[in-house]
């Protein structure tokens, strides 16, 4: 399958700081990238859908000013968690898709711990 | 009704057993369907796509029933290494195209 690289794989930050997570498609052009959050022993929760060059579409209940998503190129999307708080601690995973209707491939995920 | 629903399980089966999971979806305009596997504390990995005509890959068979709006995954001759959470995913276009996942079904294969 296609390769999606997510960085960093884990991060610990202080409450109130911002954290940026990168998601790159290494061997294909990702017209769409998805960002998910997963709490322990819970299911994937879609946060937003991002198409290259457009504003991200956020799911209900996800604050767009807190979770800033940028998808400026066909191979890179970033998620910035602004003013992180302990309740933002979670596993954040991106996935990327080349063509509408096809499968998406996941990055390795980022485990965020806010202390 | 949730967009994509799965029985969370866990399904406890012995090695060698055959097990089947279903996944129902609510949007009849859903276009494409997939099964993913997620191991504990890892990212989901694509297991197989689900085609209208069905799809078989070794011990795994996926089927689509558009009339009843569900997809299924059959695992034959279960192995210990099949223990994981199986997620179904449905591609829906409603103004924009998104991939919606079910909550997953946990499978535990025991010796």
């Amino acid at each position: 399958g296609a390769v999606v690289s997510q960085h960093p794989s884990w991060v610990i930050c202080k409450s109130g700081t911002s954290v940026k997570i990168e998601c790159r498609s290494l061997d294909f052009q990702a017209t769409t990238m998805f960002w998910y959050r997963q709490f322990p022993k819970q299911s994937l929760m879609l946060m937003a859908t991002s198409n290259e060059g457009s504003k991200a579409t956020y799911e209900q209940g996800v604050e767009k000013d807190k979770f800033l998503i940028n998808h400026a190129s066909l191979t890179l999307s970033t998620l910035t968690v602004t003013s992180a708080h302990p309740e933002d601690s979670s596993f954040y995973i991106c996935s990327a898709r080349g063509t509408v209707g096809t499968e998406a491939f996941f990055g390795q995920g980022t485990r965020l711990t806010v202390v | 009704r949730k967009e994509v629903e799965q029985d969370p399980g866990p399904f406890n089966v012995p090695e060698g057993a055959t097990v089947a999971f279903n996944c129902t979806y609510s949007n009849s305009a859903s276009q494409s369907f997939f099964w993913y596997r997620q191991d504990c504390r890892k990212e989901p990995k694509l297991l197989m796509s689900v085609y209208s005509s069905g799809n078989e890959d070794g011990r795994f068979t996926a089927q689509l029933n558009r009339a009843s709006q569900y997809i299924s995954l059959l695992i034959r001759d279960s192995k210990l290494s099949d223990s994981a959470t199986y997620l179904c995913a449905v591609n829906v276009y409603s103004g924009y195209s998104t991939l919606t996942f079910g909550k997953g079904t946990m499978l535990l294969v025991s010796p």
Side-chain angles (χ1 to χ4, degrees):
Chain A
V3 179
V4 176
S5 176
Q6 188 173 339
H7 178 81
S9 56
W10 61 269
V11 59
I12 301 173
C13 71
K14 289 185 178 179
S15 189
T17 61
S18 295
V19 174
K20 180 185 280 189
I21 302 169
E22 291 189 351
C23 181
R24 294 180 185 273
S25 57
L26 298 186
D27 54 359
F28 69 104
Q29 293 186 322
T31 53
T32 307
M33 286 191 174
F34 305 95
W35 286 95
Y36 297 86
R37 181 167 54 182
Q38 188 173 36
F39 292 105
K41 298 186 179 181
Q42 294 192 23
S43 57
L44 285 173
M45 289 175 49
L46 178 66
M47 299 175 69
T49 301
S50 170
N51 290 300
E52 183 264 340
S54 329
K55 288 184 180 179
T57 301
Y58 288 80
E59 295 299 301
Q60 194 172 10
V62 178
E63 299 174 57
K64 62 180 182 180
D65 294 329
K66 180 169 180 65
F67 299 100
L68 303 178
I69 291 172
N70 184 284
H71 190 173
S73 79
L74 283 171
T75 58
L76 173 65
S77 177
T78 59
L79 167 68
T80 301
V81 183
T82 61
S83 187
H85 291 286
E87 57 265 31
D88 297 324
S89 299
S90 187
F91 189 46
Y92 292 85
I93 318 177
C94 71
S95 69
R97 182 177 66 190
T99 306
V100 171
T102 62
E103 65 273 18
F105 297 93
F106 284 84
Q108 303 92 324
T110 297
R111 206 160 295 281
L112 170 64
T113 303
V114 185
V115 298
Chain B
R1 183 180 173 186
K2 294 179 182 174
E3 286 191 53
V4 181
E5 289 196 72
Q6 294 182 254
D7 182 340
F11 282 52
N12 288 283
V13 302
E15 267 187 295
T18 295
V19 62
F21 311 132
N22 280 345
C23 168
T24 58
Y25 59 94
S26 60
N27 191 328
S28 59
S30 299
Q31 301 162 323
S32 47
F33 311 87
F34 310 94
W35 282 103
Y36 285 77
R37 170 197 169 124
Q38 185 175 25
D39 292 293
C40 188
R41 297 176 69 84
K42 298 280 191 177
E43 78 277 17
K45 292 186 187 296
L46 179 68
L47 183 62
M48 59 199 310
S49 303
V50 187
Y51 305 125
S52 297
S53 57
N55 189 19
E56 186 172 319
D57 182 4
R59 298 182 293 108
F60 299 84
T61 300
Q63 292 193 312
L64 166 64
N65 185 316
R66 282 195 185 273
S68 300
Q69 295 185 197
Y70 73 86
I71 61 173
S72 63
L73 177 68
L74 180 78
I75 305 175
R76 290 180 297 276
D77 188 23
S78 300
K79 311 289 185 192
L80 295 178
S81 57
D82 293 334
S83 297
T85 296
Y86 291 84
L87 305 164
C88 64
V90 177
N91 187 67
V92 179
Y93 184 81
S94 55
Y96 62 98
S97 178
T98 192
L99 194 61
T100 301
F101 283 80
K103 292 184 181 296
T105 298
M106 183 181 290
L107 172 65
L108 299 172
V109 182
S110 54

